[in-house]
Amino acid sequence: MTETPMDGTPPRKGPDARDWFAPPAEQPSDITYSGALPPPIPTAPPSVPIPGTLKPPTDLRVWPPLEPEGEDRSTQPFPALRTNRQPPPAALAPVPPPAEAPAEAPAETPAEVSAEVSTVPARRTGLLVGGTVLSVVLAVGAPTLFGYQAYKYGRPDYTVHVVPPGQAGVWQHVSWRATVEKIKDPTGKPERSDRQWLKISATRTALDAEGAIRHGEPAEVTFTDRAGRTWQVEMVNNETPPDVKDNKIGTPYRLEMMGVVPPSVADEVEVVLRPSTYRDVPGQSAADFVKAAFTSTEKDDQVLRFRR
């Protein structure tokens, strides 16, 4: 059986019956070259001959122009040079003598001239001292005045309404009452000799519809003695309804507050109550509330002082 190479093509027949991968007949069987090698490919000469020297650049500076050779370009100041230059003729002209003063004008003595000259530095010193004092006054006084005005705006002069013992104080359609009593330490701690707990029992009563919408908690409540010292108190109970519709006209609502004072003034301190200017108008929008707050002329400076 005859085998065919590769893809089944039968081998060649005839005078050129060589192997499948044999070179063609015109190519010699020995392809080894034994002649002379070709000359090497010439390479480009180097840009700078070695050994050799670099050529100077051919470009020239145009601006700024070159300085002359040997000129000193230092920035040190030059000393004054002695010259033979003469001043101008006007400076060399003789000064004419001063004209004689009239006989009726008395000549000034050297003492008067020196006194007049000495007043100039004194006057200048006075102006400088006065300017310095004015600057200090403005620098110190302006912030102080601004701070005082801000303090007065935040804490205006209160208008005090004195309430006799056992009576009610009325302000802006609301009737207020307040009593004071001694109590033990509500925290349960042992009693101390340097402090005394006091309890304030107050009531607020709306006298009409305007008083019913003024149901806000008091803006400030303090204890005050005869010397003007004050002690803060804390609200512990407020039975005032938060809604206007629940505030009944003529019904007293109870408020309880507590505070601590020195035992020496526990029997004389008085209650100072500053009512709030808050008005809870039914159906009022937020925009109207803000507008009324900015346009209201009512001041938060009315105080009720309850005597004991």
Side-chain angles (χ1 to χ4, degrees), residues 47-61:
S47 58
V48 178
I50 300 175
T53 58
L54 296 176
K55 296 182 180 181
T58 57
D59 54 340
L60 298 177
R61 189 173 75 175

Side-chain angles (χ1 to χ4, degrees), residues 171-182:
W171 179 252
Q172 290 292 38
H173 308 267
V174 177
S175 175
W176 293 91
R177 291 178 180 271
T179 59
V180 181
E181 60 178 323
K182 296 179 181 179

Side-chain angles (χ1 to χ4, degrees), residues 34-243:
S34 58
L37 295 177
I41 300 176
T43 58
S47 58
V48 178
I50 300 175
T53 58
L54 296 176
K55 296 182 180 181
T58 57
D59 54 340
L60 298 177
R61 189 173 75 175
V62 177
W63 187 264
L66 296 175
E67 294 82 2
E69 293 294 336
E71 181 180 350
D72 186 9
R73 294 187 296 275
S74 63
T75 59
Q76 298 180 358
F78 292 98
L81 301 179
R82 295 179 179 271
T83 63
N84 296 326
R85 297 180 60 185
Q86 298 294 331
L92 298 177
V95 179
E100 296 182 357
E104 64 274 12
E108 294 182 354
T109 62
E112 294 176 352
V113 174
S114 61
E116 182 178 356
V117 173
S118 62
T119 57
V120 175
R123 191 177 307 167
R124 184 178 304 171
T125 303
L127 293 176
L128 292 176
V129 173
T132 304
V133 173
L134 180 61
S135 301
V136 172
V137 170
L138 292 177
V140 176
T144 304
L145 179 61
F146 177 78
Y148 176 75
Q149 292 178 349
Y151 172 80
K152 296 297 293 183
Y153 179 82
R155 296 184 62 87
D157 294 332
Y158 293 146
T159 301
V160 180
H161 305 270
V162 178
V163 182
Q167 296 187 16
V170 179
W171 179 252
Q172 290 292 38
H173 308 267
V174 177
S175 175
W176 293 91
R177 291 178 180 271
T179 59
V180 181
E181 60 178 323
K182 296 179 181 179
I183 61 173
K184 294 183 179 181
D185 191 340
T187 62
K189 297 180 180 180
E191 298 293 334
R192 295 175 51 176
S193 59
D194 61 342
R195 61 174 55 185
Q196 175 62 55
W197 283 85
L198 298 179
K199 177 181 178 181
I200 301 174
S201 297
T203 58
R204 62 165 300 276
T205 304
L207 302 180
D208 52 19
E210 176 65 20
I213 66 177
R214 292 177 175 268
H215 59 82
E217 187 173 298
E220 184 182 14
V221 181
T222 59
F223 285 123
T224 302
D225 67 351
R226 298 173 184 174
R229 296 177 298 177
T230 60
W231 291 267
Q232 297 295 324
V233 300
E234 295 293 336
M235 183 75 65
V236 295
N237 184 30
N238 187 358
E239 298 178 356
T240 306
D243 199 339

Side-chain angles (χ1 to χ4, degrees), residues 1-12:
M1 182 178 182
T2 304
E3 296 181 0
T4 59
M6 300 297 288
D7 55 353
T9 305
R12 300 178 182 178

